[in-house]
Each structure stands twice: as structure tokens, then as C-alpha cells.
Amino acid sequence: MPRFAYVNGRYVRHADAAVHIEDRGYQFADGVYEVCEIRDGLLIDERRHIDRLERSLAELRIPKPMSRAALGVVLRELVRRNHVVDGLVYLQVTRGVAPRNHPFPAEGTPPALVVTARSVSRAYADHHAEEGVAAISVPDNRWDRVDIKTVSLLPNVLAKQAARDAGVYEAWFYDADGNVTEGSSTNAWIVTGDGVLVTRPAEHGILRGITRTVLLDVAARLGIKVEERKFSLEEAKGAREAFITGATTIVTPITKIDDRVIGNGAPGSVATELRKAFHDFAERSPRWSHG
Ligand code: PDD
């Protein structure tokens, strides 16, 4: 079955999809992206993802490639053409194509939009969640604006590879004060000895994850006490539970950080409860875009 991608106005076969060599995303990482979960053929939390996309674009002064309504149509059409039931849709907007030169290109240069969609087995993610995964810690060496979801992900790539080289799933960044910021592609959470859910405030130093935002709501509705505050790597290692969140991982327990086992080494009850409840609270977008 052929796969399709959307590239600058056209649905093309995935195998043939290409952008220009002078796309600023390719040359300068001058672009932003979003990853949205597809579940039962529906987009999860589309509204929040598109809100964040628009914020990222505004922060970098990249024009919107199209209206929300039109983007909604493209996302759905791509999910449909690729027969994705469970998986993800990836969308990327760059500052467009122009002769390589650092300043912004001429006014009116259209931003470039690429969208892909692919199936991911639900069983695969569930398996990780049931077993729990391990993480290593690495110093956070990223720039100051990690609140913008830019495609400039080299430190994240190197951190994730360090995790893979260590035979584990994720890498947790820690800042100069020894506080955990976030994972290389996830937000970081712990549960303290007295059952309080802790995650770093999203004002500075992390991406405001959509899964994170929804999960704060889920926790409140389940009556779980939450503190948005910084926590150190040491506190995390001594926590009752630790877990990560993201559009592709939802809630995935961390059972080991570096050489320290977390809790009793098995996924914790809070993480498990939150994972179970997540999709009762996340927004499922209708099959048709209302814009
Ligand atoms: N990553 N922090 C970072 C650095 C991320 O890259 C992500 C998402 C998150 C979680 O955000 P959300 O809950 O909105 O997915 C936190 C995506 C999935 C990726 O790069 O593939």
C-alpha cells in the first residue's frame, strides 16, 4: 500500500516526497513542528497542537502556511490516505526556500509545509508502559528558547542517542542547578513518597507539552495532588515513581534513572492510573475539520 505525504500544496507518494535544497529548514533548522497522536483514526488534541504551532510560528516570525481550517483538512486527508488508525501525524513549517543567507528571506517568501502520517502499533507503546523503561541523565546544553517547538533538535538527538548507546529509552536533561528540565522528546514527572505529583513549571526551560497540559487536568479530576515546581535529579532518583509524557508515549513509567531503581522497579500506580484515564480527557477531533 503506497504511503503519501503532503508537500507544499500537493499530496505525493512518500517515496518521492522532497523539498528544495535551499529550504531554510534544511539549511538553518529554521522551522517548527508538531506531532499529534492519531487514535481510532481521529486526531488527539488537535486544537491545542495547532494553538502551539501558531505560537511557535509567531515567536519566530514565520508566517502561517494556511488557515486552521485548511490545515485541518490536510491533516485529515493525509491520515485517510495513509489508512492510519493508530499512529501519528507530523507537520513541519519552515521559513521557506531562498538563496542561503542568514537574514530572513524577502517579504512574501511563502513558508514551506510538509506533513507525514504513519501507523504505530498501540501494542508497542502499551508494552513499554506495562514494563516501564529506563532513562539516563545528561546535562541540558540546549538554547534558552526550548519553549518553541523548533526542528532545531541536535542536542535532543545527541541525548537520545546517548540513551540508546546506554541501552535505555530516554535521556533526562538536568540544568546547571541539578534540576531536571525534561526528556529529550518528553516531559518529566515524579511522584513523591507522600503521593504528590511533581512536574517542572512550563514558564522556562521546557516545552509546554500538550500531553502535560491535559495530564494536569486529568490529575486534578482524579483528585491527585499536583505541585508544579522544579525537582532535582537526586529527588527524582529517590522518588516513589517517575514517568514521561508526550504525544507518542502518553504516560510511560520510568523504572530506573542512571543506576538507581525507582520505587520498587515496577511501573507505579499513579502513572498507570493516569495513563488509563488520559484518553477519557484528551480531545478527539471530529472527522471533519471545523477550522
Ligand atoms: N516531542 N519535550 C520535548 C523536548 C518534546 O520534544 C516533546 C514532544 C515533549 C512532549 O510534548 P507533547 O506532549 O506535546 O507531545 C516535551 C515529540 C513527540 C517529538 O519530537 O517527536
Side-chain angles (χ1 to χ4, degrees):
M1 193 170 55
R3 280 186 69 197
F4 290 92
Y6 176 89
V7 184
N8 294 322
R10 292 193 307 138
Y11 297 97
V12 293
R13 279 179 181 254
H14 189 271
D16 303 328
V19 294
H20 194 276
I21 54 165
E22 287 194 304
D23 185 295
R24 290 182 62 99
Y26 179 58
Q27 292 190 322
F28 292 116
D30 189 0
V32 301
Y33 76 105
E34 282 294 328
V35 178
C36 194
E37 185 195 6
I38 311 295
R39 196 174 172 92
D40 301 324
L42 301 175
L43 294 158
I44 302 299
D45 286 316
E46 175 192 17
R47 181 181 58 85
R48 291 186 176 95
H49 281 282
I50 303 305
D51 284 350
R52 187 173 63 186
L53 174 74
E54 290 184 348
R55 176 184 180 276
S56 296
L57 290 169
E59 289 294 323
L60 298 180
R61 295 194 280 150
I62 297 174
K64 287 183 206 174
M66 57 175 65
S67 70
R68 284 177 82 104
L71 193 53
V73 170
V74 170
L75 297 179
R76 282 162 181 73
E77 179 60 15
L78 206 65
V79 169
R80 192 188 67 77
R81 287 197 188 210
N82 287 290
H83 306 282
V84 180
V85 178
D86 293 316
L88 58 90
V89 62
Y90 173 85
L91 76 95
Q92 173 175 317
V93 183
T94 73
R95 208 182 300 276
V97 175
R100 185 182 181 280
N101 206 2
H102 289 66
F104 293 176
E107 192 87 18
T109 301
L113 171 64
V114 168
V115 188
T116 58
R118 70 181 165 92
S119 299
V120 181
S121 134
R122 214 188 271 188
Y124 176 77
D126 285 348
H127 173 75
H128 276 136
E130 280 155 22
E131 298 288 311
V133 297
I136 54 164
S137 62
V138 295
D140 199 336
N141 56 358
R142 300 173 299 163
W143 75 327
D144 202 38
R145 294 304 312 274
V146 294
D147 57 299
I148 303 171
K149 200 161 171 62
T150 146
V151 295
S152 175
L153 289 171
L154 199 46
N156 308 61
V157 166
L158 295 177
K160 189 74 95 183
Q161 186 57 39
R164 292 292 185 273
D165 290 345
V168 303
Y169 186 80
E170 181 57 301
W172 275 15
F173 288 121
Y174 58 89
D175 64 19
D177 300 322
N179 291 316
V180 174
T181 53
E182 61 183 334
S184 68
S185 64
T186 54
N187 286 121
W189 305 67
I190 57 169
V191 179
T192 64
D194 43 9
V196 179
L197 190 55
V198 181
T199 196
R200 187 178 171 108
E203 274 64 53
H204 195 75
I206 66 167
L207 179 76
R208 188 185 293 274
I210 304 301
T211 319
R212 176 189 180 282
T213 299
V214 174
L215 207 70
L216 288 172
D217 193 24
V218 178
R221 306 245 202 132
L222 294 179
I224 297 169
K225 189 161 180 248
V226 180
E227 278 175 16
E228 278 185 86
R229 64 164 170 84
K230 292 180 180 175
F231 59 91
S232 69
L233 192 54
E234 274 319 297
E235 183 179 5
K237 288 181 181 179
R240 183 193 286 177
E241 296 184 30
F243 63 87
I244 50 175
T245 57
T248 48
T249 39
I250 313 303
V251 174
T252 299
I254 298 283
T255 49
K256 198 174 174 203
I257 303 172
D258 296 330
D259 50 6
R260 289 274 289 281
V261 171
I262 307 303
N264 63 4
S269 58
V270 174
T272 304
E273 188 187 3
L274 288 169
R275 182 180 176 88
K276 241 188 239 152
F278 181 81
H279 286 102
D280 296 339
F281 293 87
E283 285 176 12
R284 287 175 179 241
S285 292
R287 283 191 195 278
W288 303 108
S289 170
H290 300 304

